Amino acid sequence: MTPQILVMILVQSVGAGLGGYALFLWFKKARKPTVIGFHVVAGLAGIETLAANIHLSAFAADSPVRALGILALEFFALSVLTGVVAALVGKQRPQLANVLLAIHVGSGVLALFTALSFARAA
């Protein structure tokens, strides 16, 4: 594995860990904006490192490994979108926010595992 792939795995794992901790705090009815902020930064940095690895790879445009990386980016995009919308509608529509947070967590986990599959194949 190249150092770039290892950095991608590390950054995405930190983002997922912070997200897990934020979820734990959410279940305890606690809210720490610092944890959420670092989760957002680490998540976006993980997306950027994945996109850079896909862009800089020597895979052909129709390569299945490249398609796996792009699928991970699509899952990450869904996760970011639902996380942002859940934060925006959280106070006004708590039930919708809960559904969006469930989609956020599910798509984030799918994205992480798909990115790890891409890293293994790359």
Side-chain angles (χ1 to χ4, degrees):
M1 264 190 230
T2 65
Q4 295 87 354
I5 294 285
L6 293 175
V7 167
M8 179 191 77
I9 291 170
L10 175 70
V11 170
Q12 290 177 353
S13 298
V14 167
L18 287 169
Y21 183 57
L23 182 64
F24 172 75
L25 291 173
W26 184 76
F27 281 129
K28 290 180 64 174
K29 305 276 190 233
R31 187 174 163 98
K32 297 205 177 187
T34 306
V35 173
I36 296 169
F38 281 123
H39 168 64
V40 170
V41 169
L44 293 176
I47 294 170
E48 179 60 32
T49 56
L50 175 61
N53 278 312
I54 293 169
H55 180 70
L56 297 174
S57 67
F59 297 118
D62 60 348
S63 168
V65 177
R66 183 180 174 94
L68 191 62
I70 292 172
L71 179 64
L73 284 176
E74 291 169 351
F75 283 137
F76 273 127
L78 177 62
S79 183
V80 168
L81 178 68
T82 55
V84 167
V85 174
L88 292 175
V89 302
K91 297 271 186 197
Q92 297 85 12
R93 312 233 359 230
Q95 291 156 336
L96 176 61
N98 289 342
V99 170
L100 289 170
L101 282 175
I103 295 170
H104 172 73
V105 170
S107 60
V109 168
L110 280 172
L112 178 64
F113 286 129
T114 308
L116 291 175
S117 298
F118 167 78
R120 180 176 167 98

